[in-house]
Amino acid sequence: MSARTRRVVVIEGEDAAPEAMRPTVRLLEGLDLDLEFIHPRVGQAAIDAGESSFPPEARAAIDRSDATLFGSTSGKSALALLYLRWGKQTFANVRPARYRVGYRSPMAVPEGIDFAIVRENLEDLYVGVEGELADLAPLGLESRTAGRPLAELGPGRFAIKVITEAGTDRVARFAFELARRRKARGRPGRVTCGTKHNMLPRSDGLFLERVERLARQFPDIEFQSFIVDDLAHRLVADPRRFDVVVLPNLYGDVLSDAAAALIGGLGLAPSGCYGDDYAYFESAHGTAPDIAGRNIINPTATILSGAMMLSHLGMADAAARIEDGLARVYAKGDCLTPDQGGSASTTEFCEALAREL
Ligand code: ATP
């Protein structure tokens, strides 16, 4: 191991996720890069060994590493994910939606779809504060829309949506800087913001206001904003117009699955979560429990997440090799997984990709 060796923690996840992660790691190992893969015990493996699902050794391994490749979790590895996200403050979740020839897109003309959603990753409703409406009674809050005291609405629950100035500024800056890097590669250099500031003028209004303020520091990047429901329509009706789309957490979560559908499905959608000091990479899809154990999960999303990781670690040439190899496999189209209309197993797909590399 040299001083330049990059350490990558691998957490395989649950259900079908390991079936995509294992061949991805083999593929990366096969590229003969200066990478060391570390497999700490997390989730069920740790529980089986009599440990907690996220033992201190796993946390220490993450702290010593340069990045984590994370397989989706159904809950068993959730503590590790919470640490990767909130512990490591990975505030920008980048979810590219880029069509490649051969992807089974439902669009009549999918060519040219190439945008990236930048989802704020730590705030919004995901701060995880919920409770009984009755607990709010002492605050004497009034529903602005119903024009009645909350207490009169009857039994129910609430969730808190948090938008902070600093949290919005950092994800907005990330989005504009991403647009700048993409512009250098020939993309239009455009950031689009989506919020529901008409209904939520204070919280979503603040998000929009801070993004607008950041936009003024990036005169070379075009900026536009839409109410998020209008944006959802536009993303489907005219996806080629979009380049970088910056969104609060919940809208980003929802719209990035829709974005995946535009290009051909969840099996094709990678993601990277970036903070100031750390980044981790995972497919945008869940654990696909319905196809677990069948060796048919499409590993493309996980492999592309691995390519995003390589770029982050300064190995852009290797990332481009993987992307070009995948493009050739899809363009040939004779060895695709069932979600893409093929009959190849995950293993066969990965063998076809290995031949292209
Ligand atoms: P989560 O709540 O974690 O997002 P979920 O069960 O709602 O999980 P997914 O696990 O993403 O959602 O699966 C949704 C559907 O898409 C399932 O039918 C699943 O089999 C399919 N799917 C997801 N990822 C892939 C993939 N990589 N290859 C093939 N099918 C996939």
Side-chain angles (χ1 to χ4, degrees):
M1 198 175 120
S2 77
R4 288 189 45 76
T5 303
R6 300 282 187 240
R7 286 203 186 95
V8 174
V9 164
V10 178
I11 296 174
E12 289 187 346
E14 287 95 42
D15 301 325
E19 297 167 45
M21 183 58 81
R22 286 175 196 151
T24 299
V25 173
R26 271 199 298 278
L27 188 106
L28 295 174
E29 282 171 339
L31 294 180
D32 214 14
L33 301 165
D34 212 350
L35 290 175
E36 184 196 3
F37 292 93
I38 297 145
H39 301 260
R41 262 202 303 265
V42 170
Q44 191 60 48
I47 295 166
D48 290 345
E51 299 168 314
S52 79
S53 67
F54 184 46
E57 297 75 36
R59 181 181 163 142
I62 290 172
D63 288 342
R64 278 196 306 271
S65 71
D66 295 289
T68 290
L69 252 186
F70 190 85
S72 306
T73 179
S74 58
K76 295 257 168 66
S77 310
L79 286 179
L81 184 61
L82 292 182
Y83 184 64
L84 286 166
R85 209 170 280 183
W86 281 273
K88 303 304 266 183
Q89 288 287 295
T90 47
F91 58 84
N93 182 358
V94 180
R95 296 183 158 191
R98 177 176 169 200
Y99 174 79
R100 291 175 173 81
V101 174
Y103 280 7
R104 199 158 84 148
S105 165
M107 305 296 282
V109 188
E111 285 79 11
I113 299 177
D114 182 1
F115 62 89
I117 289 181
V118 178
R119 161 191 172 193
E120 196 292 316
N121 212 24
L122 305 177
E123 303 191 338
D124 198 347
L125 284 162
Y126 294 67
V127 294
V129 181
E130 298 180 290
E132 300 296 325
L133 272 184
D135 296 343
L136 298 179
L139 297 176
L141 296 171
E142 179 151 318
S143 160
R144 186 166 41 81
T145 46
R148 292 162 56 192
L150 267 192
E152 286 180 15
L153 299 181
R157 297 188 178 149
F158 68 88
I160 286 187
K161 174 178 174 108
V162 172
I163 304 286
T164 69
E165 293 179 7
T168 307
D169 287 354
R170 61 185 181 178
V171 77
R173 179 173 297 283
F174 188 99
F176 282 99
E177 283 171 354
L178 176 64
R180 212 172 242 175
R181 289 198 299 279
R182 286 168 60 93
K183 192 174 180 183
R185 298 200 304 265
R187 296 296 299 150
R190 180 180 300 136
V191 170
T192 306
C193 179
T195 46
K196 194 75 186 172
H197 52 278
N198 49 341
M199 289 304 294
L200 300 166
R202 303 206 64 196
S203 51
D204 276 21
L206 178 65
F207 191 93
L208 176 59
E209 187 190 307
R210 302 303 295 196
V211 179
E212 280 173 343
R213 182 190 291 231
L214 244 293
R216 292 198 280 277
Q217 293 179 25
F218 292 82
D220 51 321
I221 301 299
E222 190 189 321
F223 175 68
Q224 57 185 6
S225 78
F226 298 106
I227 291 177
V228 70
D229 38 350
D230 180 22
L231 174 62
H233 178 270
R234 288 169 188 266
L235 270 180
V236 175
D238 195 8
R240 268 168 297 275
R241 267 180 65 101
F242 294 93
D243 179 19
V244 172
V245 181
V246 64
L247 295 163
N249 206 337
L250 179 64
Y251 311 141
D253 193 0
V254 174
L255 287 181
S256 51
D257 272 32
L262 282 179
I263 57 165
L266 285 169
L268 307 169
S271 93
C273 297
Y274 302 81
D276 288 330
D277 311 312
Y278 198 77
Y280 76 93
F281 299 83
E282 62 172 339
S283 66
H285 62 73
T287 61
D290 49 331
I291 55 170
R294 294 173 57 195
N295 193 27
I296 56 166
I297 187 169
N298 187 342
T300 304
T302 307
I303 293 169
L304 284 173
S305 303
M308 287 174 78
M309 182 187 75
L310 295 184
S311 292
H312 175 70
L313 296 177
M315 300 174 176
D317 290 349
R321 247 181 96 194
I322 293 177
E323 297 204 7
D324 292 348
L326 276 171
R328 286 195 291 277
V329 172
Y330 276 96
K332 282 185 181 168
D334 57 359
C335 197
L336 303 182
T337 46
D339 61 302
Q340 296 301 306
S343 57
S345 65
T346 309
T347 308
E348 287 163 342
F349 177 89
C350 290
E351 285 166 358
L353 175 57
R355 284 194 293 277
E356 296 297 338
L357 297 178

